[in-house]
Amino acid sequence: MSKTACIIAAANCARHPAGHAHPEFLVSLTKDQVQHIATLARLSLAKQEFDDVVAKLSRIVDFVDQLQSAPTSNVLPMAHPLDQAQRLRPDQVTEKNERETLQANAGAVQDGFYLVPKVIE
Amino acid sequence: MKSGWEVVIGLEIHCQLATRSKIFSGASTAYGADANVQACLVDLGYPGVLPVLNEEVVRMACKFGLAVNASISPRSVFARKNYFYPDLPKGYQISQYELPIVAGGELVIRLDDGSDKRIGITRAHLEEDAGKSVHEGFGQFSGIDLNRAGTPLLEIVSEPDMRSAAEAVAYMRKIHSIVRYLEISDGNMQEGSFRCDANVSVRPAGQQKLGTRTELKNLNSFRFVEKAINFEIARQIELLEDGGKVTQETRLYDSLRDETRPMRSKEEANDYRYFPDPDLLPVEIAADYIEHVRQTLPELPDAKKLRFTDQYGIRPDDAEILIVSRALADYFEMLAGETAATAQIAANWAIGELSAALNRDGLDIEQSRIPPAQLAGLLDRLTDQTISGKIAKEVFEAMWAGEGSADSIIDAKGLRQISDSSAIEAIVAKVIAAHPEQVAEYQSGKDKLIGFFVGQVMKESRGKANPEQVNEILRQKLQES
């Protein structure tokens, strides 16, 4: 996903966490909201582009927000556009050890571990 | 706990499901493999791969739901829980949010005072586990092992129904017992297969509104759950009594210091922005499937307890102990079925000598050094009075050490009880002759000395004399002499 698409997806979730309709709800994003979402998405926005991003995102979100005016009180939330149920697979081990091949793509490995900058909780 | 305060506790138990392969991939879930040898493309979150749900996790979740009288959702949905951490390669965990597979159950726990209490189960949902980060041994880096990533978990969320650490532990033990009865988890806490987070708050007694809660993370033993909660209760009460406020936060329990302390926040990490995972379709479960699963349920702990007291006539408290583990209950039933001894005696030995020996050697009941049939042989000899209770314990230890059957040990060591009255009379005569002072005291009215004489005779017979006969003969001879 592109940077912008990421932020839009996140913004929609943040504004309508349970997917409920708010037909009267039609306001643009605030700077704080955009900053919050950018932080959650680990994206840094340069100062000079910030206002521009807020304005553009607001227009996109407002456009999409028109969907909120659709009457949905009698409609079950759709979990997936395909009207099908999840297929299940048998509980069998089908994967082999491909560590060597897979770790050839990694930036750094040691003793079979993937290495990342130190993270300690 | 201090009076004037009420404690409110809810638990989120993470139970690793005992499948062969992962919840969404065909990689193995076996514990203890070398780092990353069981982490495939799906587990690593490579682009273009798709998760496919393991049918076994659905069956296992259904079994659990039925076992706690919950409803199984005919339609449940997987959602993405978004956060960034290196042991979560996709940047989201696949979990369930608004539509979990199991909703609204309950179970009954036994409290210390012998009364029963109902604890509500809000929901149980399926999710994938994350990998493991290792911070030692990699210099300025952390090492990531993704073998555990994608291991199936059932997260079991209770209502805030518990009012003390002891109740929380009783609830956790009950869930532990149930998942092991159902054979949906090995419940191994050392390996992290069964762990919990505890939500703890306090409020002035009588207040309706809940106090601010803290969440204690990753408690992986029953003892830690109890200690962490008790520490947290005391901390919160002290804070409030000093006029302070409890901050809603996540805290880690440090078992070395026996205290909880706040986790460094995963900056705004509670904003998970759940949304339905477009890679997975809704899971639909048909009513006849649920009925089919219901047929496969084993007898559960509560039902087994009732049956044990009815069928075997053993004490309810003993039944409660026996049913905690299905394997111990099975052992008891085999033992009771094989021996001529009463079921209560069988229960006493299973709970007493056998459990003590298992604990001492750190073994599970499945690893018992004495099979039920062999222990039955010992209880038979106890019942037909070939040996006394004291000697039986000696024979038990010999059996535990692998010295053979009860009969062969009794014969080899010459432990057969002396029930021949002339032999006992001879020993009694010898003891009486050796203690003239005590005999005089006894005869002058110090009845309690009978215990001393019995002890001496038993000692002289190396424990083999029949105690009842000893008593009888002693009283008679002491009168006469």
Side-chain angles (χ1 to χ4, degrees):
Chain A
M1 265 197 288
S2 73
K3 212 186 208 185
T4 310
C6 268
I7 294 185
I8 293 169
N12 278 325
C13 290
R15 298 178 72 198
H16 309 295
H20 299 308
H22 298 279
E24 78 288 0
F25 194 75
L26 197 78
V27 287
S28 297
L29 295 170
T30 65
K31 277 188 186 182
D32 284 349
Q33 280 174 316
V34 173
Q35 184 53 58
H36 175 65
I37 293 154
T39 306
L40 288 173
R42 300 274 167 113
L43 298 174
S44 65
L45 293 172
K47 260 190 184 151
Q48 60 271 28
E49 63 177 339
F50 200 90
D51 287 339
D52 190 42
V53 168
V54 172
K56 282 178 176 162
L57 273 179
S58 291
R59 280 206 295 280
I60 296 167
V61 171
D62 288 347
F63 174 73
V64 175
D65 228 16
Q66 295 176 77
L67 284 173
Q68 299 296 338
S69 62
T72 55
S73 55
N74 295 321
V75 181
L76 273 181
M78 183 175 69
H80 200 279
L82 297 182
D83 190 18
Q84 287 174 9
Q86 178 64 36
R87 289 269 294 270
L88 306 178
R89 48 165 254 276
D91 179 27
Q92 281 163 10
V93 175
T94 53
E95 296 292 332
K96 295 193 300 280
N97 171 19
E98 293 186 279
R99 185 172 80 181
E100 211 171 317
T101 316
L102 295 169
Q103 293 201 331
N105 295 325
V109 295
Q110 183 188 322
D111 307 331
F113 288 81
Y114 293 92
L115 296 189
V116 298
K118 199 148 200 156
V119 275
I120 288 202
E121 189 54 66
Chain B
M1 198 206 36
K2 283 196 167 174
S3 62
W5 292 96
E6 185 180 47
V7 176
V8 178
I9 302 164
L11 294 188
E12 292 168 14
I13 294 175
H14 289 88
C15 172
Q16 185 178 316
L17 297 175
T19 54
R20 285 188 281 271
S21 65
K22 293 187 177 175
I23 182 168
F24 298 119
S25 83
S28 169
T29 56
Y31 181 80
D34 276 353
N36 292 307
V37 301
Q38 292 167 185
C40 70
L41 290 167
V42 172
D43 310 326
L44 295 174
Y46 267 62
V49 299
L50 283 173
V52 187
L53 184 59
N54 184 335
E55 66 181 5
E56 199 59 18
V57 305
V58 174
R59 197 178 65 82
M60 288 177 168
C62 286
K63 279 177 96 172
F64 176 79
L66 293 170
V68 297
N69 272 323
S71 47
I72 310 298
S73 310
R75 184 169 172 276
S76 67
V77 171
F78 283 98
R80 292 186 179 180
K81 177 179 180 178
N82 298 282
Y83 67 96
F84 286 110
Y85 207 70
D87 57 22
L88 186 76
K90 295 193 295 295
Y92 58 86
Q93 177 193 26
I94 305 178
S95 181
Q96 296 190 305
Y97 189 55
E98 290 185 296
L99 295 168
I101 189 161
V102 170
E106 63 178 7
L107 53 72
V108 171
I109 57 169
R110 159 95 11 147
L111 305 183
D112 285 343
D113 66 3
S115 64
D116 288 337
K117 178 171 180 178
R118 176 199 169 279
I119 306 291
I121 294 169
T122 316
R123 58 186 277 157
H125 63 255
L126 289 167
E127 62 184 25
E128 57 179 349
D129 207 345
K132 250 182 211 163
S133 310
V134 180
H135 307 297
E136 301 294 320
F138 297 99
Q140 81 229 51
F141 297 103
S142 289
I144 305 293
D145 174 9
L146 295 166
N147 282 345
R148 202 179 62 184
T151 298
L153 297 177
L154 187 66
E155 180 173 334
I156 303 159
V157 183
S158 83
E159 293 287 314
D161 284 347
M162 288 151 278
R163 293 292 173 268
S164 69
E167 286 183 17
V169 171
Y171 166 81
M172 192 176 175
R173 283 189 186 279
K174 191 69 177 266
I175 295 276
H176 189 251
S177 172
I178 289 171
V179 298
R180 296 195 64 202
Y181 263 70
L182 295 172
E183 294 176 326
I184 62 172
S185 175
D186 63 16
N188 188 323
M189 298 174 85
Q190 282 84 39
E191 293 176 5
S193 304
F194 194 83
R195 54 193 196 260
C196 94
D197 303 339
N199 289 304
V200 180
S201 67
V202 299
R203 62 184 168 189
Q207 179 181 303
Q208 278 299 307
K209 191 169 170 285
L210 289 169
T212 305
R213 69 185 159 84
T214 57
E215 183 180 11
L216 311 180
K217 275 277 184 202
N218 260 341
L219 305 169
N220 62 357
S221 84
F222 295 121
R223 206 165 58 90
F224 290 169
V225 168
E226 179 144 23
K227 293 181 91 172
I229 292 176
N230 278 330
F231 174 89
E232 187 58 17
I233 291 169
R235 188 188 72 86
Q236 291 187 12
I237 291 176
E238 194 184 327
L239 196 61
L240 293 169
E241 286 188 342
D242 289 348
K245 268 185 166 179
V246 175
T247 315
Q248 183 167 345
E249 63 188 355
T250 303
R251 299 176 70 88
L252 271 183
Y253 176 66
D254 181 337
S255 59
L256 295 175
R257 297 180 180 189
D258 188 23
E259 64 177 25
T260 67
R261 56 186 149 77
M263 276 174 90
R264 254 188 288 171
S265 72
K266 287 182 181 175
E267 69 291 318
E268 299 158 276
N270 281 326
D271 195 345
Y272 292 126
R273 293 149 293 141
Y274 286 93
F275 64 90
D277 190 329
D279 287 345
L280 287 154
L281 291 153
V283 180
E284 288 184 359
I285 301 176
D288 59 348
Y289 176 85
I290 296 172
E291 273 321 299
H292 171 73
V293 173
R294 196 193 298 277
Q295 300 306 318
T296 69
L297 290 186
E299 182 182 40
L300 290 163
D302 289 347
K304 201 183 279 288
K305 183 184 159 191
L306 273 182
R307 182 169 65 79
F308 276 14
T309 49
D310 283 358
Q311 180 181 337
Y312 295 105
I314 61 173
R315 288 188 294 265
D317 285 353
D318 292 337
E320 179 81 20
I321 297 170
L322 288 171
I323 54 100
V324 165
S325 131
R326 188 173 167 182
L328 179 62
D330 288 348
Y331 189 103
F332 160 75
E333 287 208 84
M334 282 187 270
L335 179 60
E338 293 252 359
T339 180
T342 65
Q344 184 61 55
I345 289 175
N348 294 347
W349 279 77
I351 294 167
E353 300 300 315
L354 181 69
S355 295
L358 291 168
N359 275 340
R360 192 180 60 209
D361 290 3
L363 298 176
D364 289 332
I365 182 76
E366 292 93 332
Q367 302 162 299
S368 171
R369 299 198 207 281
I370 304 178
Q374 208 179 33
L375 185 54
L378 172 62
L379 302 191
D380 286 349
R381 294 293 85 79
L382 182 63
T383 303
D384 67 17
Q385 304 207 333
T386 303
I387 53 172
S388 66
K390 187 157 177 282
I391 293 291
K393 290 181 184 179
E394 193 180 327
V395 176
F396 178 89
E397 289 305 328
M399 284 167 75
W400 190 258
E403 292 176 30
S405 72
D407 285 332
S408 63
I409 291 167
I410 291 167
D411 285 342
K413 299 195 174 215
L415 296 173
R416 206 164 280 278
Q417 180 159 265
I418 303 169
S419 306
D420 171 358
S421 54
S422 61
I424 296 177
E425 278 173 21
I427 300 171
V428 167
K430 194 176 161 190
V431 166
I432 287 178
H435 299 92
E437 281 176 33
Q438 284 86 348
V439 172
E441 281 182 52
Y442 178 83
Q443 286 170 342
S444 67
K446 222 174 164 189
D447 288 352
K448 279 185 182 166
L449 273 173
I450 191 73
F452 166 78
F453 288 108
V454 171
Q456 291 299 314
V457 173
M458 294 310 287
K459 193 172 160 194
E460 190 68 29
S461 74
R462 290 193 294 127
K464 291 186 292 182
N466 178 318
E468 282 169 34
Q469 278 177 290
V470 169
N471 229 301
E472 194 181 315
I473 294 171
L474 258 176
R475 286 181 194 277
Q476 193 188 338
K477 295 288 170 189
L478 282 167
Q479 296 294 334
E480 289 170 5
S481 62

